[in-house]
C-alpha cells in the first residue's frame, strides 16, 4: 500500500533551535536565552545564540528542502522577534524575516506550516507572571493577531502551540526546561488553563482575521502505551493507560485534548487532581473548545503494556539490550500505530504527525558522508506502523520528520543530532545524510517501498 496521493510529506524545525541571531533586528529576549545563560541549566553550557544561523541562511535551507522534494515545512515564529517585549506594536523588522521565509518556501513549492509558539516565551512577560498571569491568554492572542495580519495571505496551515505538555511539564513542573520553574500542582494547573485559553483565543483570531482560508490545529505530544499483544484485553489496557490523567503531573493527553476537542475537562482528571483544579466557567470551556481542522501529534516513543491475570494493567519493562535512540528514548515503532489509533477513536479529527524522528550517533565518515542507517530504519519502521493505522481506517493527512537539520536540542544542547541534514556547527556547513536521500526517495515514491 502507498500513502494517499495528497499526503503531506514534510520536515519540521523550531525558531529557537535553528535561527541564532538573538539580537538581530530588535528581537527581544526569551526565557530560553536566559535559561541558557544560567550556569548548569544546559548541557555543556550550550546555547541557541548561534544554532544553525538559519536567520541569515534561510535561502540556502529552503534550497535544501527543494532538493529533497519536501512538500511542506513546519517552522515556528519567535514571539520575541515579532513583539520584543511580548506585547505592544509589532516589530516590522522581525516579521520581515518570516515574510521572506514564506516567500522563499512558496517559490520552492514547499507549503509553509506555521507554529505560533514553540517555547521561546518573551522574558518580560514571564517576569510579569507568564502563563500564570490572567492576561496571558490575551497576550498570546494579540501576538497571533500580528502574525496572522502579516502572513495569512500566504500561510494556510496554522498550529497554535507546540507540545503544551512539555513546556508546562518540563518548563514549569520539573524545571528541566526554561523557565526552570517547579510550580506546585495547583499553580501548574492554573498556568495550564491559561495555555488552553490562549489556544482558544488564538484559533478565534486566526479564523476571524486570516486573509486566505485557514486550516488550524495544534501539536500536543505524549508517550504512547501500546498493547503487548493484539488482543482486546491488551488493547484496552493500552487505551486506558493512554487516556489516564495522573494525580501529580500535567504530563498526559486527556487534560489537554478533551477541553480543546470536547469542551470539558475529563471526569477522571477532575477526580485525580481534586482540589488543585483551578476555578473555571462555562465560558472558559467554550473559549478552549474551538473547531479545529486537524490534530497534530508529536510522537517519538512508547512502551508496551498488557492486562495481567488479576485484571490490573502491567507496564512491561524493555528487555535487556533492547534498542533505544541516542538520547535514550526507547525505539518503539508501534507508538506510531497506536497513538493515532487511540486519538482517532476518541476525537475522529484528521490527524497530522507534526513531529517524529530520532537522534542517532552521527558523524562525518572518512568518505565525507553521514551513514545514518539507524535513522533510515527508524523512519521506515515508524512509517510502516503509521500506515498500519491508516489501513485500519485512521485518517492521517501528513507526516513531518523531526528534524530538517541538526539543531539545538534544548537542555541537551548540541549533543544529540536529530537532523536529516548534518550541520557542522563550527562552519555551518550543511551535508545531506543518507537518511535525507532515503526520505527524499520515500516522498518521491509516496512510501511505496516501506516494509509491511
Ligand atoms: C520535541 C520538541 C522538539 C524537539 C524534539 C526532539 O519534544 O517539540 O522541539 O526537541 O522533541
Amino acid at each position: 500500500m502507498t500513502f494517499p496521493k495528497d499526503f503531506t510529506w514534510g520536515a519540521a524545525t523550531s525558531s529557537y533551535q535553528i535561527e541564532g541571531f538573538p539580537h538581530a533586528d530588535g528581537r527581544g529576549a526569551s526565557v530560553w536565552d536566559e535559561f541558557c545563560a544560567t550556569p548548569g541549566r544546559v548541557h555543556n553550557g550550550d546555547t541557541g545564540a548561534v544554532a544553525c544561523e538559519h536567520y541569515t541562511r534561510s535561502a540556502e535551507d529552503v534550497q535544501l528542502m527543494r532538493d529533497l522534494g519536501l512538500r511542506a515545512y513546519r517552522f515556528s515564529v519567535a514571539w520575541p522577534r515579532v513583539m520584543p517585549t511580548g506585547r505592544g506594536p509589532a516589530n516590522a523588522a522581525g516579521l520581515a524575516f518570516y515574510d521572506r521565509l514564506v516567500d522563499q518556501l512558496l517559490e520552492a513549492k514547499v507549503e509553509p506550516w506555521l507554529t505560533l509558539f514553540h517555547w521561546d516565551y518573551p522574558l518580560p512577560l514571564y517576569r510579569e507572571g507568564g502563563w500564570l498571569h490572567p492576561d496571558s491568554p490575551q497576550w498570546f492572542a494579540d501576538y497571533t493577531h500580528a502574525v496572522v495580519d502579516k502572513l495569512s495571505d500566504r500561510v494556510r496551515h496554522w498550529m497554535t502551540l507546540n507540545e503544551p505538555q512539555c513546556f508546562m511539564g518540563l518548563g514549569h513542573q520539573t524545571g528541566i526546561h526554561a523557565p526552570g520553574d517547579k510550580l506546585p500542582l495547583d499553580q501548574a494547573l492554573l498556568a495550564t488553563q491559561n495555555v488552553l485559553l490562549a489556544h482558544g483565543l488564538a484559533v478565534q483570531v486566526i479564523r476571524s482575521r486570516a486573509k486566505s482560508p485557514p486550516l488550524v490545529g495544534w501539536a500536543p505530544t505524549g508517550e504512547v502505551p501500546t498493547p503487548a499483544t493484539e488482543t482486546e484485553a491488551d488493547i484496552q489496557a493500552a487505551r486506558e493507560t493512554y487516556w489516564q490523567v495522573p494525580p501529580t503531573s500535567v504530563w498526559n493527553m486527556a487534560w489537554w485534548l478533551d477541553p480543546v476537542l470536547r469542551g470539558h475537562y475529563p471526569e477522571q482528571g477532575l477526580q485525580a487532581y481534586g482540589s488543585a483544579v483551578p476555578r473555571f466557567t462555562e465560558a472558559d470551556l467554550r473559549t478552549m473548545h474551538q473547531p479545529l481542522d486537524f490534530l497534530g501529534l508529536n510522537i517519538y516513543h512508547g512502551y508496551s503494556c498488557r492486562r495481567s491475570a488479576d485484571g490490573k494493567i502491567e507496564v512491561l519493562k524493555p528487555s535487556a539490550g533492547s534498542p533505544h535512540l541516542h538520547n535514550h528514548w526507547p525505539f518503539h515503532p508501534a507508538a506510531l500505530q497506536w497513538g493515532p489509533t487511540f486519538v482517532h477513536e476518541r476525537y475522529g479529527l484528521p490527524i497530522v504527525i507534526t513531529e517524529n524522528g530520532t537522534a542517532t550517533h552521527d558523524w562525518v565518515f572518512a568518505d565525507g558522508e553521514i551513514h545514518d542507517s539507524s535513522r533510515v530504519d527508524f523512519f521506515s519502521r515508524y512509517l510502516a506502523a503509521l500506515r498500519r493505522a491508516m489501513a485500519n481506517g485512521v485518517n492521517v493527512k501528513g507526516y513531518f520528520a523531526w528534524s530538517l537539520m541538526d539543531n539545538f536540542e534544548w537542555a541537551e544542547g548540541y549533543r544529540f543530532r536529530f537532523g536529516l541534514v548534518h550541520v557542522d556547527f563550527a562552519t555551518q556547513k550543511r551535508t545531506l545524510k543518507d537518511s535525507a536521500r532515503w526520505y527524499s526517495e520515500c516522498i518521491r515514491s509516496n512510501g511505496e517501498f516501506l516494509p509491511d
Side-chain angles (χ1 to χ4, degrees), residues 17 32 36 41-48 407-417 425:
Q17 292 179 279
W32 270 98
C36 292
R41 292 301 211 173
V42 175
H43 172 75
N44 197 38
D46 292 345
T47 82
N407 58 47
F408 175 75
E409 178 51 22
W410 306 113
E412 305 291 357
Y414 293 95
R415 70 167 149 173
F416 298 131
R417 293 180 177 272
F425 293 106

Side-chain angles (χ1 to χ4, degrees), residues 363-383:
W363 65 83
V364 182
F365 280 42
D367 63 1
E369 306 278 330
I370 300 97
H371 301 299
D372 56 340
S373 52
S374 44
R375 180 171 288 103
V376 169
D377 191 60
F378 177 100
F379 281 135
S380 61
R381 288 167 66 187
Y382 273 69
L383 279 164

Side-chain angles (χ1 to χ4, degrees), residues 153-412:
D153 54 336
R154 288 151 293 154
V155 172
R156 294 200 49 223
H157 292 87
W158 298 85
M159 285 143 290
T160 55
L161 306 164
N162 181 70
E163 299 191 356
Q165 294 96 332
C166 220
F167 70 81
M168 265 304 125
L170 299 183
H172 293 78
Q173 267 204 306
T174 62
I176 298 172
H177 278 186
D181 284 344
K182 294 187 178 171
L183 297 179
L185 183 64
D186 58 340
Q187 297 278 292
L189 290 175
L190 178 61
T192 293
Q193 183 156 284
N194 285 331
V195 170
L196 288 165
L197 291 167
H199 161 83
L201 291 182
V203 177
Q204 289 176 344
V205 170
I206 299 167
R207 293 217 186 278
S208 64
R209 301 200 60 87
K211 296 172 192 159
S212 53
L215 292 164
V216 190
W218 69 330
T221 189
E223 290 166 44
V224 183
T226 67
T229 67
E230 292 206 0
T231 55
E232 202 33 58
D234 286 359
I235 294 172
Q236 181 54 20
R239 185 185 286 121
E240 256 175 67
T241 310
Y242 193 55
W243 296 117
Q244 194 74 15
V245 177
T248 57
S249 157
V250 301
W251 263 107
N252 71 83
M253 295 295 282
W255 192 260
W256 293 95
L257 273 70
D258 275 9
V260 165
L261 298 169
R262 289 179 156 179
H264 56 77
Y265 284 128
E267 193 50 45
Q268 181 270 328
L270 287 167
Q271 280 172 21
Y273 290 148
S275 59
V277 174
R279 269 202 296 276
F280 58 88
T281 63
E282 282 302 313
D284 291 334
L285 293 174
R286 276 197 299 278
T287 299
M288 298 173 195
H289 185 207
Q290 298 301 314
L292 292 185
D293 302 291
F294 66 93
L295 176 58
L297 290 176
N298 293 2
I299 294 181
Y300 289 87
H301 54 99
Y303 52 91
S304 268
C305 63
R306 69 175 168 215
R307 181 80 63 190
S308 61
D310 61 5
K312 295 213 175 88
I313 294 172
E314 190 189 348
V315 171
L316 303 182
K317 280 220 297 261
S319 54
S322 59
H324 52 79
L325 320 187
H326 186 205
N327 63 343
H328 303 299
W329 293 345
F331 173 78
H332 199 81
L336 214 51
Q337 176 179 352
W338 290 101
T341 300
F342 294 149
V343 166
H344 169 80
E345 288 170 354
R346 192 166 172 113
Y347 305 115
L349 208 63
I351 290 169
V352 176
I353 304 303
T354 35
E355 283 181 28
N356 173 244
T358 180
T360 62
H361 213 126
D362 305 336
W363 65 83
V364 182
F365 280 42
D367 63 1
E369 306 278 330
I370 300 97
H371 301 299
D372 56 340
S373 52
S374 44
R375 180 171 288 103
V376 169
D377 191 60
F378 177 100
F379 281 135
S380 61
R381 288 167 66 187
Y382 273 69
L383 279 164
L386 180 66
R387 199 181 49 184
R388 274 197 290 283
M390 294 167 73
N392 292 334
V394 179
N395 184 6
V396 183
K397 296 285 194 199
Y399 174 90
F400 288 80
W402 183 272
S403 174
L404 173 68
M405 56 189 159
D406 296 334
N407 58 47
F408 175 75
E409 178 51 22
W410 306 113
E412 305 291 357

